Amino acid sequence: MSDENEIFEEELDGSFPPGPRHPMARRFRGYLPVVVDVETGGFNAGTDALLEIAAVTIGMDESGYLFPEHTYFFRVEPFEGANIEQAALEFTGIKLDHPLRMAVPEEQALTEIFRGIRKSLKSNGCKRAILVGHNSSFDLGFLNAAVNRSGVKRNPFHPFSSFDTATLAGLAYGQTVLAKACQTAGIEFDNREAHSARYDTEKTAELFCGIVNRWKEFGGWMEDDH
């Protein structure tokens, strides 16, 4: 087992240093939830282009309630040889040749996002980020593929664990589609803005925080729980 895998095993076993910990670290066992959404050129993370990526870090107020904190967003240049399905462009409305698109390489986008996440990890006393996404395995797969292609070091995200708001919303509201889940939760959702990584990430962050906060109000988790 590699050193990195041993670290993941320690995290999963709950082996953290003794002493007081930040409320966020206590709430999620040392993990910091970070909401991520990607827009892509298809469904295959290994062959299809990453076109947009957004991330929202999650904060916690003095009463133990979660809130969306900082948003990071980049339009991304397709990697060399990337496959891009026309149907995917029509679905997202992304225009690759738009003069104001101002896309950046994958490495630059990931480096900037990871820098912001590490700051949040430090301020919240957490050891690692955990990806939150709507159908999170899709976003995590494209994130991991981009990290591997670009050779970015010190990926702050857990490599396989995630929180899926499609599942959580199905439990909390009986809805698994993002727009319908948000509407049921009382969160405004503009379908004309949907399928932009930034918009979908911010709405997913609102949804995740709402579900976790509602659970807290129902007594499912108290601030002094361990």
Side-chain angles (χ1 to χ4, degrees):
M1 181 182 293
S2 70
D3 292 341
E4 191 171 72
N5 284 335
E6 288 176 0
I7 292 172
F8 296 146
E9 290 298 324
E10 288 177 4
E11 291 171 348
L12 293 172
D13 290 341
S15 303
F16 297 101
R21 293 165 59 200
H22 190 284
M24 180 72 86
R26 292 203 307 271
R27 179 63 181 86
F28 296 104
R29 294 184 52 249
Y31 293 113
L32 175 70
V34 178
V35 185
V36 173
D37 185 76
V38 299
E39 299 300 336
T40 69
F43 297 110
N44 188 319
T47 61
D48 298 342
L50 174 65
L51 301 176
E52 292 184 355
I53 183 169
V56 175
T57 54
I58 301 299
M60 178 182 283
D61 67 19
E62 294 179 354
S63 299
Y65 289 96
L66 303 187
F67 61 92
E69 197 168 36
H70 299 297
T71 299
Y72 304 90
F73 169 67
F74 290 94
R75 299 179 180 90
V76 182
E77 295 174 359
F79 64 90
E80 185 176 354
N83 178 61
I84 303 174
E85 300 289 342
Q86 182 60 34
L89 297 179
E90 292 172 359
F91 180 75
T92 61
I94 293 174
K95 296 179 173 57
L96 296 178
D97 58 353
H98 195 286
L100 299 180
R101 179 167 147 77
M102 295 183 291
V104 302
E106 288 182 333
E107 181 179 4
Q108 181 179 339
L110 294 175
T111 298
E112 292 296 324
I113 290 172
F114 289 176
R115 181 179 294 119
I117 291 172
R118 290 192 195 98
K119 290 179 181 177
S120 292
L121 286 171
K122 185 176 181 179
S123 64
N124 285 284
C126 293
K127 296 177 65 174
R128 186 168 294 275
I130 186 165
L131 184 144
V132 180
H134 205 75
N135 299 309
S136 57
S137 62
F138 180 85
D139 302 287
L140 185 57
F142 271 88
L143 175 69
N144 286 338
V147 168
N148 290 336
R149 277 193 301 268
S150 59
V152 173
K153 304 299 183 184
R154 296 177 60 218
N155 179 359
F157 284 97
H158 193 286
F160 54 84
S161 291
S162 64
F163 292 146
D164 183 9
T165 53
T167 302
L168 293 172
L171 174 65
Y173 301 115
Q175 299 287 352
T176 57
V177 175
L178 180 59
K180 292 183 177 180
C182 286
Q183 291 163 358
T184 304
I187 299 168
E188 290 187 13
F189 194 95
D190 187 345
N191 285 300
R192 294 169 298 180
E193 298 289 334
H195 310 305
S196 154
R198 180 171 197 147
Y199 188 81
D200 286 0
T201 306
E202 291 179 340
K203 290 302 173 181
T204 301
E206 288 185 57
L207 181 64
F208 175 73
C209 292
I211 293 171
V212 175
N213 292 340
R214 190 180 187 196
W215 179 250
K216 174 179 169 61
E217 290 174 349
F218 287 162
W221 183 84
M222 304 302 290
E223 190 173 356
D224 57 356
D225 285 353
H226 298 283

XYZ file of all heavy atoms in Angstrom, residues 117-203:
665
model
N -8.868 25.932 -2.400
C -9.370 24.865 -1.532
C -8.410 24.621 -0.372
O -8.840 24.414 0.773
C -9.592 23.578 -2.344
C -10.777 23.768 -3.302
C -9.845 22.382 -1.421
C -10.961 22.638 -4.285
N -7.106 24.676 -0.638
C -6.134 24.458 0.447
C -6.257 25.541 1.513
O -6.087 25.273 2.709
C -4.717 24.406 -0.113
C -4.443 23.150 -0.937
C -2.958 22.980 -1.241
N -2.788 21.998 -2.286
C -2.618 22.277 -3.571
N -2.579 23.550 -3.964
N -2.476 21.327 -4.470
N -6.547 26.770 1.103
C -6.757 27.834 2.082
C -7.961 27.515 2.961
O -7.929 27.724 4.179
C -6.958 29.176 1.372
C -5.704 29.724 0.701
C -5.988 31.050 0.008
C -4.741 31.590 -0.680
N -5.030 32.854 -1.420
N -9.023 27.019 2.345
C -10.215 26.668 3.112
C -9.956 25.470 4.015
O -10.477 25.408 5.139
C -11.380 26.367 2.166
O -11.801 27.534 1.482
N -9.186 24.512 3.546
C -8.819 23.375 4.390
C -8.117 23.856 5.659
O -8.449 23.432 6.777
C -7.904 22.412 3.627
C -8.545 21.532 2.553
C -7.467 20.822 1.753
C -9.497 20.519 3.173
N -7.178 24.754 5.480
C -6.410 25.264 6.618
C -7.297 26.021 7.587
O -7.225 25.827 8.807
C -5.270 26.151 6.123
C -4.336 26.629 7.223
C -3.170 27.414 6.647
C -2.227 27.871 7.758
N -1.063 28.630 7.198
N -8.156 26.899 7.067
C -8.982 27.728 7.947
C -10.039 26.915 8.673
O -10.517 27.316 9.739
C -9.637 28.851 7.145
O -10.534 28.336 6.184
N -10.410 25.757 8.122
C -11.420 24.912 8.756
C -10.828 23.733 9.514
O -11.579 22.896 10.024
C -12.404 24.397 7.701
C -13.384 25.455 7.248
O -14.330 25.782 7.949
N -13.138 26.021 6.063
N -9.507 23.658 9.569
C -8.866 22.582 10.309
C -9.112 21.203 9.732
O -9.107 20.202 10.458
N -9.333 21.129 8.417
C -9.618 19.848 7.765
C -8.370 19.294 7.075
O -7.463 20.049 6.713
C -10.744 20.018 6.746
S -12.341 20.417 7.477
N -8.353 17.996 6.886
C -7.197 17.330 6.290
C -7.323 17.151 4.792
O -6.332 17.095 4.078
C -6.989 15.954 6.942
C -6.651 16.012 8.420
C -6.535 14.634 9.027
C -5.369 13.860 8.441
N -5.167 12.565 9.127
N -8.572 17.012 4.310
C -8.768 16.722 2.888
C -10.144 17.193 2.466
O -11.074 17.229 3.262
C -8.626 15.207 2.640
C -8.680 14.820 1.176
C -8.248 13.387 0.971
N -6.848 13.202 1.292
C -5.844 13.419 0.451
N -6.091 13.857 -0.763
N -4.606 13.209 0.818
N -10.257 17.566 1.193
C -11.550 17.944 0.633
C -12.296 16.690 0.184
O -11.683 15.690 -0.200
C -11.359 18.881 -0.550
N -13.618 16.774 0.244
C -14.444 15.705 -0.311
C -15.403 16.337 -1.306
O -16.052 17.347 -1.010
C -15.185 14.915 0.789
C -15.913 13.716 0.189
C -16.130 15.807 1.591
C -16.360 12.700 1.228
N -15.452 15.791 -2.502
C -16.244 16.382 -3.564
C -17.735 16.172 -3.316
O -18.175 15.078 -2.959
C -15.849 15.775 -4.911
C -16.522 16.371 -6.158
C -15.546 16.411 -7.334
C -17.768 15.569 -6.561
N -18.486 17.249 -3.488
C -19.946 17.209 -3.469
C -20.410 17.512 -4.882
O -19.966 18.502 -5.485
C -20.523 18.257 -2.496
C -22.051 18.191 -2.501
C -19.973 18.074 -1.092
N -21.263 16.686 -5.431
C -21.738 16.935 -6.780
C -23.099 16.324 -7.013
O -23.535 15.438 -6.264
N -23.776 16.815 -8.043
C -25.066 16.236 -8.407
C -24.766 15.145 -9.424
O -24.395 15.429 -10.560
C -25.996 17.306 -8.973
C -27.438 16.954 -8.819
N -28.086 17.037 -7.610
C -28.343 16.468 -9.709
C -29.343 16.643 -7.759
N -29.518 16.290 -9.023
N -24.916 13.879 -9.010
C -24.342 12.725 -9.707
C -22.814 12.848 -9.641
O -22.128 12.997 -10.659
C -24.845 12.612 -11.137
C -26.352 12.428 -11.200
O -26.905 11.553 -10.539
N -27.022 13.281 -11.966
N -22.324 12.798 -8.418
C -20.949 13.187 -8.112
C -19.885 12.315 -8.763
O -18.777 12.784 -9.013
C -20.731 13.194 -6.592
O -21.046 11.921 -6.035
N -20.190 11.054 -9.053
C -19.176 10.186 -9.660
C -18.752 10.714 -11.024
O -17.595 10.549 -11.434
C -19.697 8.750 -9.781
O -20.840 8.700 -10.625
N -19.673 11.357 -11.740
C -19.353 11.938 -13.045
C -18.321 13.054 -12.887
O -17.281 13.069 -13.565
C -20.627 12.473 -13.695
C -20.422 13.096 -15.049
C -20.401 12.323 -16.189
C -20.254 14.473 -15.176
C -20.204 12.891 -17.444
C -20.062 15.053 -16.417
C -20.035 14.265 -17.562
N -18.589 13.985 -11.979
C -17.682 15.120 -11.775
C -16.328 14.658 -11.228
O -15.279 15.146 -11.664
C -18.326 16.126 -10.826
C -19.660 16.624 -11.344
O -19.663 17.415 -12.291
O -20.694 16.192 -10.816
N -16.346 13.718 -10.295
C -15.097 13.232 -9.724
C -14.261 12.508 -10.770
O -13.036 12.631 -10.796
C -15.395 12.313 -8.540
C -14.194 11.810 -7.746
C -13.355 12.964 -7.212
C -14.655 10.918 -6.591
N -14.909 11.771 -11.649
C -14.182 11.074 -12.705
C -13.465 12.033 -13.641
O -12.294 11.834 -13.988
N -14.138 13.113 -14.053
C -13.512 14.095 -14.937
C -12.438 14.887 -14.198
O -11.407 15.233 -14.784
C -14.561 15.023 -15.537
C -15.144 14.506 -16.824
C -16.241 13.660 -16.808
C -14.571 14.838 -18.045
C -16.772 13.157 -17.997
C -15.085 14.348 -19.233
C -16.194 13.499 -19.207
N -12.667 15.192 -12.918
C -11.647 15.888 -12.135
C -10.388 15.040 -12.032
O -9.272 15.526 -12.291
C -12.188 16.208 -10.741
C -11.192 16.836 -9.767
C -10.831 18.247 -10.194
C -11.746 16.833 -8.348
N -10.529 13.781 -11.675
C -9.369 12.904 -11.533
C -8.632 12.723 -12.853
O -7.396 12.697 -12.898
C -9.795 11.544 -10.984
C -10.131 11.580 -9.504
O -9.683 12.469 -8.778
N -10.905 10.609 -9.043
N -9.380 12.612 -13.951
C -8.751 12.451 -15.264
C -7.942 13.687 -15.630
O -6.822 13.581 -16.160
C -9.805 12.168 -16.328
N -8.489 14.877 -15.345
C -7.769 16.116 -15.645
C -6.521 16.250 -14.786
O -5.474 16.716 -15.262
C -8.692 17.319 -15.437
N -6.619 15.855 -13.522
C -5.446 15.887 -12.644
C -4.352 14.983 -13.187
O -3.172 15.364 -13.247
C -5.843 15.456 -11.212
C -4.604 15.200 -10.364
C -6.705 16.524 -10.550
N -4.718 13.788 -13.616
C -3.730 12.844 -14.144
C -3.096 13.352 -15.433
O -1.880 13.221 -15.630
C -4.388 11.483 -14.384
C -4.758 10.778 -13.093
O -4.182 11.040 -12.038
N -5.735 9.887 -13.155
N -3.900 13.952 -16.308
C -3.362 14.458 -17.575
C -2.400 15.616 -17.361
O -1.366 15.704 -18.002
C -4.503 14.934 -18.486
C -5.193 13.880 -19.282
C -6.066 14.484 -20.355
N -7.086 15.362 -19.805
C -8.318 14.983 -19.477
N -8.685 13.737 -19.645
N -9.184 15.850 -18.995
N -2.762 16.518 -16.468
C -1.991 17.745 -16.304
C -0.815 17.585 -15.341
O 0.065 18.448 -15.298
C -2.903 18.874 -15.814
O -3.501 18.525 -14.580
N -0.802 16.501 -14.585
C 0.306 16.274 -13.660
C 0.303 17.202 -12.461
O 1.351 17.398 -11.826
N -0.850 17.771 -12.129
C -0.940 18.657 -10.968
C -0.705 17.854 -9.692
O -1.288 16.783 -9.505
C -2.316 19.351 -10.911
C -2.477 20.141 -9.620
C -2.493 20.271 -12.102
N 0.154 18.361 -8.820
C 0.499 17.665 -7.586
C -0.406 18.127 -6.448
O -1.030 19.163 -6.513
C 1.963 17.914 -7.219
C 2.957 17.531 -8.301
C 2.878 16.047 -8.620
C 3.924 15.655 -9.663
N 3.801 14.226 -10.056
N -0.450 17.343 -5.403
C -1.181 17.669 -4.175
C -2.657 17.934 -4.447
O -3.203 18.967 -4.079
C -0.535 18.864 -3.457
C 0.871 18.613 -2.954
C 1.463 19.866 -2.328
N 0.661 20.318 -1.200
C 0.415 21.595 -0.913
N 0.912 22.557 -1.700
N -0.313 21.922 0.138
N -3.292 16.981 -5.098
C -4.737 17.047 -5.293
C -5.403 16.986 -3.915
O -5.246 16.006 -3.194
C -5.190 15.868 -6.152
C -6.689 15.843 -6.386
O -7.431 16.684 -5.894
N -7.139 14.846 -7.132
N -6.157 18.016 -3.516
C -6.726 18.027 -2.166
C -7.918 17.102 -1.983
O -8.338 16.858 -0.848
C -7.143 19.493 -1.976
C -7.437 19.974 -3.358
C -6.444 19.271 -4.239
N -8.479 16.595 -3.085
C -9.701 15.797 -2.993
C -9.417 14.332 -2.692
O -8.430 13.760 -3.161
C -10.487 15.861 -4.304
C -11.221 17.147 -4.511
C -10.677 18.162 -5.271
C -12.475 17.335 -3.932
C -11.361 19.352 -5.463
C -13.168 18.527 -4.124
C -12.613 19.536 -4.883
N -10.309 13.729 -1.908
C -10.269 12.283 -1.749
C -10.492 11.650 -3.117
O -11.345 12.119 -3.882
C -11.358 11.834 -0.768
C -11.182 10.426 -0.308
N -11.453 9.342 -1.107
C -10.733 9.922 0.871
C -11.204 8.236 -0.443
N -10.761 8.563 0.764
N -9.755 10.601 -3.469
C -9.799 10.102 -4.843
C -11.056 9.329 -5.221
O -11.349 9.193 -6.408
C -8.567 9.184 -4.923
C -8.369 8.724 -3.519
C -8.733 9.904 -2.663
N -11.821 8.839 -4.241
C -12.991 8.051 -4.638
C -14.239 8.313 -3.803
O -15.338 7.998 -4.236
C -12.682 6.545 -4.623
C -12.131 6.020 -3.332
C -12.967 5.666 -2.280
C -10.756 5.854 -3.173
C -12.447 5.164 -1.098
C -10.235 5.361 -1.998
C -11.082 5.008 -0.943
N -14.121 8.888 -2.627
C -15.299 9.187 -1.818
C -15.918 10.516 -2.249
O -15.216 11.432 -2.661
C -14.939 9.268 -0.332
O -14.584 7.985 0.155
N -17.247 10.629 -2.139
C -17.938 11.869 -2.506
C -19.301 11.898 -1.838
O -19.799 10.886 -1.338
C -18.099 11.972 -4.029
O -18.931 10.922 -4.521
N -19.909 13.078 -1.834
C -21.292 13.253 -1.419
C -22.110 13.548 -2.674
O -21.777 14.474 -3.423
C -21.453 14.423 -0.451
C -20.824 14.211 0.904
C -20.257 15.275 1.583
C -20.811 12.969 1.499
C -19.681 15.104 2.827
C -20.248 12.771 2.754
C -19.678 13.841 3.420
N -23.192 12.802 -2.879
C -24.006 12.949 -4.085
C -25.328 13.621 -3.726
O -26.154 13.046 -3.012
C -24.248 11.580 -4.701
C -25.030 11.647 -6.003
O -25.230 12.776 -6.513
O -25.429 10.590 -6.512
N -25.540 14.848 -4.216
C -26.782 15.550 -3.902
C -27.991 14.973 -4.634
O -29.125 15.210 -4.213
C -26.662 17.054 -4.213
O -26.211 17.230 -5.560
C -25.710 17.733 -3.242
N -27.775 14.223 -5.694
C -28.913 13.545 -6.325
C -29.501 12.526 -5.350
O -30.725 12.424 -5.180
C -28.481 12.872 -7.618
N -28.632 11.785 -4.684
C -29.077 10.816 -3.687
C -29.674 11.518 -2.466
O -30.752 11.152 -1.975
C -27.900 9.934 -3.238
O -27.358 9.271 -4.378
C -28.340 8.900 -2.222
N -28.970 12.544 -1.968
C -29.448 13.260 -0.786
C -30.789 13.936 -1.045
O -31.684 13.934 -0.190
C -28.414 14.296 -0.350
C -27.088 13.746 0.172
C -26.082 14.883 0.392
C -27.295 12.974 1.464
N -30.947 14.534 -2.231
C -32.207 15.203 -2.558
C -33.333 14.191 -2.750
O -34.492 14.473 -2.422
C -32.041 16.054 -3.814
N -32.992 13.015 -3.266
C -33.999 11.966 -3.377
C -34.524 11.570 -2.004
O -35.730 11.329 -1.823
N -33.621 11.511 -1.029
C -34.016 11.189 0.340
C -34.796 12.338 0.980
O -35.854 12.126 1.592
C -32.765 10.892 1.172
C -32.969 10.674 2.673
C -33.784 9.417 2.925
C -31.617 10.578 3.382
N -34.283 13.566 0.830
C -34.860 14.708 1.536
C -36.137 15.232 0.888
O -37.063 15.650 1.587
C -33.825 15.830 1.618
N -36.179 15.229 -0.451
C -37.278 15.900 -1.150
C -38.019 15.025 -2.162
O -38.969 15.489 -2.777
C -36.745 17.140 -1.877
C -36.102 18.149 -0.949
C -34.744 18.429 -1.033
C -36.858 18.809 0.018
C -34.154 19.349 -0.181
C -36.278 19.728 0.875
C -34.921 19.990 0.768
O -34.338 20.904 1.620
N -37.570 13.799 -2.358
C -38.205 12.946 -3.343
C -37.933 13.365 -4.766
O -38.677 12.997 -5.679
N -36.857 14.148 -4.970
C -36.490 14.625 -6.308
C -35.009 14.348 -6.544
O -34.192 14.560 -5.643
C -36.740 16.126 -6.442
C -38.182 16.549 -6.254
C -39.073 16.171 -7.418
O -38.604 15.720 -8.462
N -40.373 16.354 -7.258
N -34.672 13.892 -7.741
C -33.270 13.633 -8.071
C -32.738 14.534 -9.174
O -31.523 14.608 -9.367
C -33.073 12.162 -8.497
O -33.938 11.881 -9.604
C -33.404 11.223 -7.351
N -33.613 15.218 -9.903
C -33.189 16.188 -10.911
C -32.868 17.495 -10.194
O -33.639 17.945 -9.348
C -34.283 16.402 -11.966
C -33.892 17.505 -12.947
C -34.555 15.097 -12.706
N -31.723 18.109 -10.518
C -31.272 19.291 -9.790
C -32.320 20.398 -9.767
O -32.617 20.960 -8.711
C -29.956 19.810 -10.384
C -29.363 21.056 -9.720
C -29.070 20.811 -8.242
C -28.092 21.493 -10.457
N -32.871 20.740 -10.918
C -33.836 21.839 -10.984
C -35.050 21.552 -10.107
O -35.505 22.419 -9.345
C -34.266 22.073 -12.427
N -35.586 20.343 -10.199
C -36.771 19.998 -9.417
C -36.459 19.921 -7.928
O -37.282 20.310 -7.087
C -37.349 18.682 -9.923
C -37.947 18.777 -11.324
C -38.575 17.482 -11.752
C -39.220 17.620 -13.129
N -39.855 16.345 -13.558
N -35.264 19.419 -7.585
C -34.870 19.349 -6.175
C -34.759 20.746 -5.586
O -35.215 21.004 -4.468
C -33.560 18.590 -6.032
N -34.147 21.658 -6.339
C -34.016 23.034 -5.861
C -35.384 23.679 -5.686
O -35.656 24.337 -4.664
C -33.172 23.855 -6.832
S -31.398 23.492 -6.770
N -36.247 23.512 -6.659
C -37.578 24.103 -6.581
C -38.352 23.558 -5.388
O -39.018 24.312 -4.666
C -38.324 23.860 -7.889
C -37.750 24.654 -9.057
C -38.177 24.145 -10.415
O -38.905 23.147 -10.513
N -37.728 24.799 -11.478
N -38.260 22.257 -5.145
C -38.938 21.652 -4.003
C -38.365 22.165 -2.690
O -39.092 22.333 -1.704
C -38.817 20.119 -4.060
O -39.344 19.654 -5.306
C -39.576 19.448 -2.920
N -37.059 22.455 -2.686
C -36.399 22.956 -1.480
C -36.605 24.460 -1.288
O -36.115 25.024 -0.304
C -34.907 22.646 -1.543
N -37.289 25.110 -2.220
C -37.508 26.547 -2.115
C -36.344 27.380 -2.609
O -36.217 28.562 -2.263
N -35.489 26.787 -3.437
C -34.334 27.479 -4.006
C -34.675 27.899 -5.436
O -35.093 27.058 -6.249
C -33.092 26.564 -4.007
C -32.727 26.158 -2.578
C -31.912 27.229 -4.705
C -31.698 25.037 -2.509
N -34.528 29.174 -5.743
C -34.804 29.638 -7.102
C -33.889 28.937 -8.102
O -32.698 28.767 -7.844
C -34.606 31.145 -7.208
C -35.660 31.972 -6.487
C -35.503 33.454 -6.774
O -34.756 33.796 -7.706
O -36.127 34.255 -6.051
N -34.463 28.535 -9.232
C -33.668 27.869 -10.261
C -34.151 28.334 -11.620
O -35.322 28.183 -11.957
C -33.787 26.345 -10.147
C -32.752 25.605 -10.943
C -31.575 25.170 -10.344
C -32.932 25.352 -12.296
C -30.611 24.496 -11.072
C -31.978 24.684 -13.032
C -30.803 24.250 -12.422
N -33.231 28.922 -12.390
C -33.538 29.438 -13.719
C -33.016 28.441 -14.750
O -31.800 28.292 -14.920
C -32.879 30.805 -13.915
C -33.293 31.473 -15.216
O -33.846 30.789 -16.098
O -33.040 32.685 -15.362
N -33.927 27.751 -15.422
C -33.511 26.742 -16.399
C -32.722 27.334 -17.561
O -31.969 26.623 -18.224
C -34.743 25.999 -16.930
C -35.296 25.003 -15.929
O -34.611 24.086 -15.526
N -36.543 25.206 -15.524
N -32.860 28.645 -17.783
C -32.095 29.284 -18.855
C -30.617 29.397 -18.493
O -29.768 29.527 -19.368
C -32.675 30.665 -19.157
C -34.088 30.642 -19.736
C -34.687 32.022 -19.769
N -34.825 32.588 -18.417
C -35.324 33.780 -18.151
N -35.728 34.563 -19.152
N -35.423 34.207 -16.906
N -30.317 29.379 -17.188
C -28.933 29.469 -16.727
C -28.303 28.096 -16.500
O -27.096 27.994 -16.276
C -28.872 30.266 -15.418
C -29.338 31.697 -15.528
C -28.368 32.548 -16.308
O -27.176 32.211 -16.347
O -28.807 33.562 -16.892
N -29.114 27.051 -16.525
C -28.636 25.708 -16.222
C -27.610 25.236 -17.253
O -27.549 25.737 -18.382
C -29.806 24.736 -16.176
N -26.815 24.264 -16.848
C -25.763 23.662 -17.669
C -24.593 24.602 -17.900
O -23.791 24.401 -18.812
C -26.315 23.129 -18.994
C -27.519 22.258 -18.810
N -27.500 21.163 -17.982
C -28.783 22.339 -19.305
C -28.698 20.593 -17.991
N -29.488 21.293 -18.778
N -24.502 25.632 -17.065
C -23.257 26.374 -16.889
C -22.640 25.836 -15.612
O -23.329 25.701 -14.587
C -23.539 27.871 -16.741
O -22.507 28.515 -16.003
N -21.342 25.514 -15.644
C -20.715 24.920 -14.468
C -20.860 25.829 -13.251
O -21.124 25.365 -12.139
C -19.240 24.622 -14.744
N -20.701 27.126 -13.470
C -20.790 28.057 -12.336
C -22.193 28.050 -11.719
O -22.344 27.939 -10.497
C -20.416 29.470 -12.772
C -20.490 30.476 -11.644
C -19.919 31.826 -12.022
N -19.637 32.607 -10.821
C -18.650 33.461 -10.683
N -17.804 33.633 -11.674
N -18.485 34.121 -9.566
N -23.212 28.176 -12.552
C -24.581 28.236 -12.042
C -24.963 26.925 -11.356
O -25.496 26.928 -10.234
C -25.551 28.529 -13.182
C -26.968 28.787 -12.711
C -27.338 30.037 -12.217
C -27.933 27.785 -12.755
C -28.629 30.285 -11.775
C -29.228 28.018 -12.317
C -29.569 29.272 -11.825
O -30.851 29.508 -11.385
N -24.705 25.803 -12.016
C -25.083 24.512 -11.442
C -24.346 24.232 -10.141
O -24.920 23.661 -9.201
C -24.811 23.390 -12.449
C -25.823 23.379 -13.592
O -26.729 24.231 -13.598
O -25.697 22.516 -14.479
N -23.071 24.653 -10.059
C -22.315 24.430 -8.831
C -22.882 25.254 -7.688
O -23.044 24.757 -6.566
C -20.825 24.787 -9.027
O -20.325 24.070 -10.153
C -19.999 24.402 -7.810
N -23.200 26.498 -7.952
C -23.732 27.354 -6.894
C -25.099 26.867 -6.431
O -25.406 26.910 -5.225
C -23.785 28.800 -7.376
C -22.387 29.397 -7.548
C -22.375 30.824 -8.059
O -23.397 31.258 -8.636
O -21.338 31.494 -7.889
N -25.921 26.375 -7.332
C -27.228 25.848 -6.941
C -27.077 24.527 -6.182
O -27.803 24.260 -5.217
C -28.122 25.667 -8.165
C -28.563 26.989 -8.772
C -29.315 27.841 -7.745
C -29.630 29.227 -8.242
N -30.341 30.051 -7.234
